[in-house]
Amino acid sequence: MEYASSHGAGMAFRTLSPEQIREIHSASCRVLEEVGVVVHHDEAADLLKRAGAYTGSDGRTYIPNTLVKRALATAPSRITLYNRLGEPALWLEKSNVYFGTGSDTLVYLDPFTGERRPWQSADVAMALQVVDALPNLDFVMSMGLLSDVDRRMINRAQYALMLKNSIKPQVVIAEDRGTVEDIFEMAAAAAGGKEALKHRPLFVLYCEPTSPLQLPFESVDKLLLAAENRIPVNFACGAVAGASTPITVAGTVVQANAEALCGLVVHQLKNPGAPFLYGYGDSPLDMRTMMAVYAVPEALLLQGCLCDLARYYSLPSWGYAGCGSSKVFDEQAVVEGTMFTLMGALQGCNLMHDVFYIESGRTGCLEMLVLTDEVVSRVRYLLKGVNTTPEYLAVEAIMRVGPGGNFLGDEHTARHFRESWGSTLSDFNNYETWAAGGSKTMGTRIREKLREIMDNYRPTPLAPDTEREIDGILRRAEERLGG
Amino acid sequence: MSSLKELIDLVIAGDVQGVKEATKRLLEAGEEPLRVINEALIPGINEVGVRFKEGEMFVPEMMMSAQAMKAGVELAKERIGGAEVPAAGKVVIGSVKGDLHDIGKNLVIMMLESSGFSIVDLGVDAAPEKFVQAVKEHQPHLVGMSALLTTTMPVMQEVIAALEKEGLRDTVKVIIGGAPVTREYTEEIGADGYAPDAGAAVELCKQLVN
């Protein structure tokens, strides 16, 4: 084996022991069977009932273990996501790692003036182009909540912007079934038809239960629609440990796992074999401020547990990276974002979102995108591990150079030095050269890079008739909603 | 024989069972119920408030103290024979129609109860008519609305419109909260106040009641 880590054994980080994984699985199954869930959706309740779940006079549906087992047996262990050009782009399986942004932040933090303001469509378009330009970011989400669009049209308008400003695969938030249907139609316009889109999925749909243990109507409705159309989907809540889930990491894992599995059961009953992403997040409640906070060590631990469970279940995994609780792009933001990105990569989380979230998800920070692009570049190099073939063990080179010699002039160095990790963002000059270049901090260099992307980068455009088709879908939705 | 001082310490410690036992012993020994409330249970919870502000105590501890205090007050009230124990104010509160999220709203309720407010909880998915009905029935000082989803936020405005239509708007102060709710939105829909977190919600309620 040349690289231990590419097979998930060497560099990978495991949070739980096999025994702990079985304990957690068993505890989650007990929750589904003994505590039950409340299902606010008739079709889903009916699917569960016909499959053998029991609904008591208390309104709770109790799900037996056999249903979980059956769902795990039919759910696919891998998903390929395609880009807008129809090319396979992300392989969600084993410990492959991919990174992307988040959705719907409330506040746009202007990287050049520091101004905080609501997002406009032009800001979202530009932010999406920045993600498209950065080579180490793999997928896009809607970035910011549009303040210049009719409230009922926000998700649709966001999706049109995603299609127009990036070719990268997408993760999509949609408020209801009608919105998903319009988004699916827009995606189909770009992907060459609905059947082509089902075969080559361009986006993942984000759905969530309401913790603790409730399946709201809209979420389940979307989950069923996704199953029907084979749109990859998750059922991942953002836990608030100490409020919506137990305060302990293990307790949150047990409940999160129960809720995700419950979503999986409904999903697989609707359409066995439809693609499902397993995951959950945690922003524990700070018991001083009553704020749900991002990127604390507990959140990283929870993600590690869920990645281990995902591999145990052979399901692709969903998680977080590159985000934090800081209010501005400062040292705390860098610490939190970098820790989450590195840990998520080591945990082997397949699809990590929320890169660029600060203020625990309320604010979107473009500087974090550029920073995390650099962090991911470092992390990907790490994950490759160490090549130990004879050419790399370099005994011949050591022989040539010999005691007291210098490798700088050897052919082995010339042959391989370009394989070393390199950066255009970090500074490796001596002090004098750095000072002569203007004593620029990392933050300054990041903003310069942002400026350069914003001024010069243009994403691959949509074909003009596809763009017209998408605008037509938006217009018809607007008319239908009476906007 | 328990002393009032011991009872104060038990409230601060959040010892529900201990407070019940000590309150019983004091009452059985002939202590005035109102004195037990006003000179032990209330000072106990007030001290908790002080320690919370100073960063010595945290919310879960405050919750336990509030439960302990309430248990004591219940026992004392039984002795008084149903007389009203004055509250800091009355709040009708709920998550608006379409929204099943109630973690934030429940936190606000717990914090308000800990500060002596009496609460009418409309639960989740509460329609404008439900708010109107509750205001008519309970005549609160305040109406609180919560929304986590941007799609349910407009219901807040519908509630305010419904209160106006029924001529009730001027009888209450309306406050709103939830992750996507902002100060600008508060002004936009004509609510009286907004709080970014549960602690601030308590301060806001105190200000609006006075």
Side-chain angles (χ1 to χ4, degrees):
Chain A
M1 203 191 288
E2 286 178 29
Y3 295 100
S5 54
S6 64
H7 298 279
M11 305 268 313
F13 179 88
R14 296 294 176 261
T15 308
L16 298 169
S17 71
E19 181 58 29
Q20 285 179 306
I21 290 176
R22 283 191 294 275
E23 280 169 5
I24 288 168
H25 173 70
S26 170
S28 299
C29 287
R30 273 192 59 197
V31 169
L32 290 173
E33 214 175 85
E34 296 172 23
V35 185
V37 297
V38 177
V39 184
H40 295 274
H41 191 288
D42 291 345
E43 187 190 351
D46 195 49
L47 280 170
L48 286 165
K49 192 179 167 191
R50 273 187 287 136
Y54 164 71
T55 302
S57 54
D58 53 5
R60 293 188 194 180
T61 299
Y62 300 86
I63 296 167
N65 292 183
T66 48
L67 291 194
V68 174
K69 243 184 194 165
R70 206 193 303 166
L72 285 169
T74 55
S77 58
R78 57 174 309 289
I79 299 171
T80 303
L81 281 183
Y82 293 73
N83 66 19
R84 198 188 71 198
L85 308 176
E87 301 159 346
L90 314 181
W91 294 268
L92 310 179
E93 61 180 310
K94 295 188 287 190
S95 295
N96 295 350
V97 295
Y98 300 101
F99 300 86
T101 69
S103 75
D104 302 295
T105 55
L106 299 165
V107 178
Y108 172 71
L109 181 63
D110 188 305
F112 307 109
T113 65
E115 186 199 358
R116 284 165 53 85
R117 58 180 170 80
W119 287 84
Q120 307 272 318
S121 297
D123 303 323
V124 168
M126 187 53 85
L128 286 162
Q129 292 189 16
V130 171
V131 182
D132 198 64
L134 293 169
N136 293 300
L137 298 184
D138 303 296
F139 66 94
V140 295
M141 288 184 74
S142 72
M143 320 293 287
L145 199 66
L146 302 174
S147 65
D148 55 348
V149 170
D150 182 306
R151 260 180 229 283
R152 290 163 301 175
M153 286 295 292
I154 288 176
N155 292 153
R156 293 173 179 87
Q158 285 170 330
Y159 190 68
L161 287 170
M162 285 154 78
L163 275 176
K164 288 176 186 177
N165 291 286
S166 173
I167 65 159
K168 292 183 177 178
Q170 308 128 355
V171 176
V172 167
I173 310 267
E175 60 209 29
D176 55 21
R177 177 178 276 262
T179 310
V180 180
E181 283 167 349
D182 284 339
I183 286 171
F184 189 69
E185 213 180 312
M186 284 189 260
K194 288 187 177 172
E195 288 310 310
L197 180 61
K198 282 184 195 177
H199 177 60
R200 291 193 292 268
L202 168 61
F203 69 91
V204 170
L205 180 65
Y206 179 97
C207 295
E208 55 182 15
T210 301
S211 297
L213 302 164
Q214 299 175 92
L215 275 59
F217 176 82
E218 300 295 0
S219 272
V220 177
D221 213 37
K222 289 182 283 179
L223 186 70
L224 295 178
L225 181 69
E228 226 173 289
N229 290 290
R230 307 185 71 81
I231 302 168
V233 66
N234 67 10
F235 201 65
C237 197
V240 182
S244 66
T245 64
I247 187 75
T248 52
V249 172
T252 293
V253 174
V254 166
Q255 190 189 312
N257 186 37
E259 289 174 4
L261 288 176
C262 177
L264 177 74
V265 166
V266 170
H267 180 260
Q268 291 296 305
L269 284 172
K270 177 71 183 176
N271 186 6
F276 185 91
L277 267 163
Y278 170 90
Y280 210 92
D282 181 22
S283 337
L285 197 65
D286 181 290
M287 291 304 176
R288 263 221 65 68
T289 62
M290 293 289 98
M291 298 299 293
V293 290
Y294 267 46
V296 288
E298 292 92 326
L300 275 57
L301 276 172
L302 173 98
Q303 180 153 308
C305 295
L306 292 178
C307 288
D308 290 350
L309 282 158
R311 274 181 294 269
Y312 173 68
Y313 295 139
S314 291
L315 292 172
S317 55
W318 161 261
Y320 296 67
C323 53
S325 301
S326 194
K327 264 50 71 180
V328 291
F329 182 60
D330 64 354
E331 291 81 353
Q332 183 185 340
V334 174
V335 168
E336 291 170 336
T338 303
M339 261 186 90
F340 219 149
T341 301
L342 174 61
M343 281 309 296
L346 290 173
Q347 289 160 350
C349 187
N350 295 149
L351 203 59
M352 285 174 268
H353 79 305
D354 280 357
V355 170
F356 110 125
Y357 268 23
I358 59 170
E359 203 199 348
S360 299
R362 283 167 193 78
T363 294
C365 173
L366 301 191
E367 288 130 300
M368 284 290 277
L369 288 174
V370 178
L371 176 91
T372 308
D373 185 71
E374 161 98 359
V375 175
V376 173
S377 149
R378 289 173 182 251
V379 160
R380 286 221 160 99
Y381 193 89
L382 274 176
L383 288 184
K384 281 198 299 186
V386 177
N387 187 335
T388 52
T389 55
E391 169 67 10
Y392 283 78
L393 290 172
V395 176
E396 304 299 325
I398 297 167
M399 216 176 264
R400 276 194 302 275
V401 171
N406 191 322
F407 288 91
L408 189 56
D410 191 75
E411 60 180 65
H412 186 264
T413 308
R415 213 161 42 236
H416 292 290
F417 83 98
R418 283 186 184 277
E419 296 163 17
S420 304
W421 179 79
S423 164
T424 53
L425 203 55
S426 294
D427 183 273
F428 300 108
N429 290 301
N430 62 25
Y431 181 83
E432 285 72 17
T433 313
W434 175 75
S439 306
K440 289 173 187 167
T441 62
M442 183 75 158
T444 302
R445 295 193 298 272
I446 283 174
R447 282 181 288 276
E448 282 179 357
K449 184 162 180 179
L450 266 176
R451 177 52 73 199
E452 203 236 301
I453 293 173
M454 288 178 169
D455 289 348
N456 301 314
Y457 180 81
R458 292 295 168 262
T460 310
L462 283 165
D465 51 341
T466 308
E467 191 154 341
R468 272 194 298 277
E469 210 177 319
I470 290 164
D471 289 338
I473 295 164
L474 279 182
R475 208 174 40 246
R476 286 194 295 280
E478 217 164 353
E479 286 162 12
R480 213 170 47 241
L481 294 168
Chain B
M1 166 75 197
S2 304
S3 70
L4 292 171
K5 171 76 186 67
E6 278 165 5
L7 187 52
I8 290 175
D9 289 339
L10 288 165
V11 169
I12 295 168
D15 182 345
V16 181
Q17 201 51 39
V19 165
K20 278 185 186 169
E21 284 162 13
T23 304
K24 264 186 209 153
R25 280 197 298 273
L26 281 166
L27 294 170
E28 276 159 17
E31 192 61 84
E32 280 292 315
L34 270 177
R35 192 158 172 249
V36 172
I37 293 174
N38 291 329
E39 292 181 28
L41 296 169
I42 300 283
I45 203 71
N46 285 345
E47 175 60 22
V48 169
V50 171
R51 292 190 190 186
F52 175 72
K53 275 216 176 90
E54 285 169 359
E56 282 172 38
M57 285 180 77
F58 291 80
V59 175
E61 292 157 338
M62 201 159 80
M63 297 294 162
M64 295 310 294
S65 293
Q67 277 183 38
M69 176 204 68
K70 273 171 81 176
V73 169
E74 288 303 316
L75 289 170
K77 266 164 82 176
E78 283 170 18
R79 289 291 172 112
I80 305 170
E84 274 285 308
V85 177
K90 192 186 273 183
V91 188
V92 162
I93 189 168
S95 296
V96 295
K97 189 168 174 53
D99 219 312
L100 291 181
H101 299 87
D102 61 0
I103 298 290
K105 180 208 66 170
N106 289 346
L107 276 174
V108 171
I109 290 176
M110 287 193 274
M111 300 276 284
L112 281 173
E113 283 183 334
S114 307
S115 305
F117 282 85
S118 86
I119 305 292
V120 179
D121 183 7
L122 303 183
V124 295
D125 198 22
E129 311 83 69
K130 201 167 173 185
F131 279 94
V132 168
Q133 186 55 39
V135 170
K136 282 183 183 165
E137 190 180 327
H138 300 285
Q139 295 161 355
H141 301 89
L142 294 149
V143 170
M145 291 183 273
S146 166
L148 177 69
L149 306 173
T150 52
T151 48
T152 58
M153 274 167 67
V155 180
M156 295 176 159
Q157 197 163 9
E158 292 172 25
V159 172
I160 291 176
L163 289 172
E164 274 167 4
K165 198 173 152 221
E166 297 284 330
L168 296 166
R169 179 64 185 88
D170 296 335
T171 68
V172 291
K173 299 284 185 191
V174 176
I175 58 171
I176 61 176
V181 174
T182 59
R183 199 169 295 288
E184 291 73 36
Y185 188 69
T186 311
E187 283 162 21
E188 188 187 320
I189 66 167
D192 298 308
Y194 142 86
D197 59 61
V202 174
E203 292 302 315
L204 177 68
C205 288
K206 283 180 180 167
Q207 278 172 23
L208 288 173
V209 166
N210 289 329

